[in-house]
Amino acid sequence: AQSVTQLDSQVPVFEEAPVELRCNYSSSVSVYLFWYVQYPNQGLQLLLKYLSGSTLVKGINGFEAEFNKSQTSFHLRKPSVHISDTAEYFCAGGTSYGKLTFGQGTILTVHP
Amino acid sequence: EAQVTQNPRYLITVTGKKLTVTCSQNMNHEYMSWYRQDPGLGLRQIYYSMNVEVTDKGDVPEGYKVSRKEKRNFPLILESPSPNQTSLYFCASSASLTAGVDTQYFGPGTRLTVL
């Protein structure tokens, strides 16, 4: 069985500050990892994904994430956030034969 | 425009009154699924479909039904809604036959309240 845990339910940050949203996964098999973003009153959209290859993955809107197999983590980072980054972020993990498992979500609030 | 559409976006109903939430995608995707989103629980899969006439249970299927008679449509049916089904529902689709390896495209969501 696989599980995905987002370590922070809420992250407040000031505009132009860096941010890290933490995600750990557990799986006995190879996993594929995703970060999705949900803006208010909208559906989820893909930020970035790790399938294989380079462990540093760059996504849209200046976000990036690093796959760390030894620490079973896939933390999301952005060096300088904007007000428009205020949203809920979901980490998700999947396997080649199974479904996608979502974390509990992290609400990022960017203050002016 | 490639998209997943859901209707209605908002629905308030009463216990026991059958309802259907429609979902349609125009990307010719094989895989479609339904999720419910509850605070602190993330998204949990209700049902999924890998092809026409092929559906299977997700993590929380109790109280729900689905059908896949056409590739583009995947309606969610609540035969006898109960208050614990009050939630935000999302339909999603992907090109791959398994959700675990491919980008999911989500609809805008349906907020359901069961009184």
Side-chain angles (χ1 to χ4, degrees):
Chain A
Q2 104 176 326
S3 67
V4 175
T5 303
Q6 291 181 241
L7 300 171
D8 307 290
S9 59
Q10 297 191 53
V11 173
V13 65
F14 287 108
E15 194 173 19
E16 297 184 7
V19 71
E20 178 180 80
L21 306 184
R22 298 180 294 166
C23 174
N24 285 356
Y25 70 92
S26 66
S27 176
S28 58
V29 297
S30 297
V31 296
Y32 305 94
L33 295 162
F34 306 78
W35 275 99
Y36 285 86
V37 59
Q38 182 182 26
Y39 298 107
N41 297 314
Q42 294 185 28
L44 283 72
Q45 56 183 279
L46 183 72
L47 264 182
L48 50 80
K49 60 184 175 184
Y50 171 78
L51 301 181
S52 65
S54 173
T55 57
L56 183 62
V57 181
K58 294 190 184 298
I60 61 172
N61 301 337
F63 283 94
E64 63 180 33
E66 185 160 17
F67 172 62
N68 188 319
K69 190 173 182 178
S70 62
Q71 298 188 10
T72 61
S73 67
F74 190 57
H75 301 334
L76 181 69
R77 301 185 181 99
K78 186 170 183 178
S80 176
V81 294
H82 303 288
I83 297 287
S84 59
D85 292 322
T86 294
E88 189 162 14
Y89 292 78
F90 291 94
C91 183
T95 61
S96 58
Y97 58 84
K99 59 178 173 60
L100 202 57
T101 299
F102 284 86
Q104 301 88 335
T106 298
I107 297 173
L108 173 66
T109 304
V110 181
H111 298 283
Chain B
E1 178 190 357
Q3 60 182 346
V4 178
T5 57
Q6 292 178 231
N7 282 293
R9 294 289 311 277
Y10 302 90
L11 179 59
I12 300 174
T13 189
V14 295
T15 299
K17 186 176 182 181
K18 180 179 178 179
L19 66 91
T20 299
V21 183
T22 64
C23 172
S24 183
Q25 51 93 4
N26 64 1
M27 295 169 279
N28 201 36
H29 283 170
E30 302 287 343
Y31 186 98
M32 297 185 74
S33 63
W34 277 102
Y35 295 89
R36 60 178 289 173
Q37 182 184 3
D38 301 290
L41 297 178
L43 275 76
R44 294 177 293 167
Q45 192 179 50
I46 303 170
Y47 268 95
Y48 65 94
S49 169
M50 296 171 68
N51 209 333
V52 174
E53 302 294 0
V54 179
T55 63
D56 207 349
K57 296 176 181 178
D59 296 319
V60 288
E62 294 77 21
Y64 304 94
K65 285 176 57 177
V66 293
S67 68
R68 186 99 180 266
K69 293 184 170 60
E70 304 167 282
K71 194 173 185 179
R72 62 183 293 128
N73 296 324
F74 191 46
L76 179 70
I77 303 156
L78 284 71
E79 295 268 1
S80 183
S82 62
N84 65 11
Q85 293 178 297
T86 292
S87 186
L88 180 58
Y89 291 86
F90 288 101
C91 181
S93 72
S94 68
S96 172
L97 288 178
T98 54
V101 302
D102 201 2
T103 301
Q104 299 291 297
Y105 294 85
F106 285 85
T110 295
R111 187 167 292 282
L112 173 65
T113 301
V114 183
L115 302 174

